[in-house]
């Protein structure tokens, strides 16, 4: 059995398949949303500085809250943390959508929504990483390799799909 084939054997684990496929779909969706947000902000204000402020709000929030998210993910049910984090991120995305569609979006409101999304990601990422290791069992190395490959592919496919849409 080749190394590539042996890495795919890990997809025989049902729970790992669920975690892997949901993460892949989520990563592709994040890429689509990032492109859509960029177009929306540029359409709204025409300012690349405003776009930078909005993107920075998410990244700074994610970096500042990551340590807390890791501690919480280690002490609570990873599944519960991931669901709660996704609900926060979903709320941020819905807020952005409603603001943009209604024509009432401001840079400050979009930035605050991005802070929520970044903070949610700070809880989701460590919980997801821990859950992947839990469901992989003895196949942690293969699961991590497959996850990195899928994440890299999604980081290219998501924005490309967003640009095409």
């Amino acid at each position: 059995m080749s190394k590539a084939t042996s890495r795919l054997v890990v997809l025989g684990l049902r729970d790992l398949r669920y975690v892997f496929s949901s993460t892949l779909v989520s990563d592709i969706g994040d890429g689509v949303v990032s492109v859509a947000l960029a177009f929306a902000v540029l359409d709204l204000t025409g300012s690349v500085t405003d776009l930078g402020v909005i993107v920075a709000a998410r990244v700074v929030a994610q970096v500042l809250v990551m340590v807390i998210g890791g501690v919480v993910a280690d002490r609570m049910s990873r599944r519960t943390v991931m669901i709660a984090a996704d609900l926060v991120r979903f709320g941020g995305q819905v807020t952005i959508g409603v603001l943009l569609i209604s024509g009432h979006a401001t840079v400050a409101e979009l930035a605050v929504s991005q802070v929520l999304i970044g903070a949610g990601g700070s809880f989701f990422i460590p919980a997801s990483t821990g859950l992947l290791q839990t469901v992989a069992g003895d196949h942690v190395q293969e699961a991590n390799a497959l996850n990195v490959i899928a994440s890299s592919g999604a980081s290219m496919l998501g924005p490309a799909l967003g640009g095409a849409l």
Side-chain angles (χ1 to χ4, degrees):
M1 182 181 297
S2 71
K3 277 191 173 192
T5 306
S6 69
R7 285 195 175 136
L8 295 178
V9 169
V10 74
L11 289 175
L13 302 170
R14 184 182 63 100
D15 289 342
L16 181 74
R17 258 193 333 270
Y18 289 150
V19 171
F20 174 77
S21 60
S22 62
T23 301
L24 180 62
V25 169
S26 180
D27 287 349
I28 291 170
D30 288 345
V32 170
V33 167
S34 66
V35 171
L37 180 64
F39 279 117
V41 172
L42 292 174
D43 184 54
L44 178 69
T45 69
S47 169
V48 293
T49 301
D50 290 342
L51 176 58
V53 166
I54 290 168
V55 171
R58 179 181 49 82
V59 173
V60 168
Q62 193 167 19
V63 168
L64 291 177
V65 181
M66 186 67 73
V67 172
I68 297 166
V71 170
V72 170
D74 285 344
R75 289 183 169 44
M76 294 181 63
S77 159
R78 289 184 171 100
R79 181 177 182 270
T80 301
V81 172
M82 289 170 67
I83 290 170
D86 266 351
L87 288 173
V88 169
R89 295 190 311 174
F90 176 73
Q93 296 290 15
V94 167
T95 301
I96 290 169
V98 168
L99 289 170
L100 289 171
I101 290 171
S102 70
H104 294 94
T106 66
V107 172
E109 291 167 337
L110 294 176
V112 168
S113 295
Q114 287 296 296
V115 166
L116 288 174
I117 293 166
S122 293
F123 286 84
F124 185 89
I125 292 168
S128 175
T129 302
L131 183 64
L132 181 70
Q133 293 173 356
T134 301
V135 298
D138 294 336
H139 304 283
V140 173
Q141 185 176 11
E142 294 90 348
N144 283 332
L146 200 56
N147 195 44
V148 168
I149 291 167
S151 180
S152 297
S155 70
M156 291 184 292
L157 180 61
L161 184 60
L165 293 173

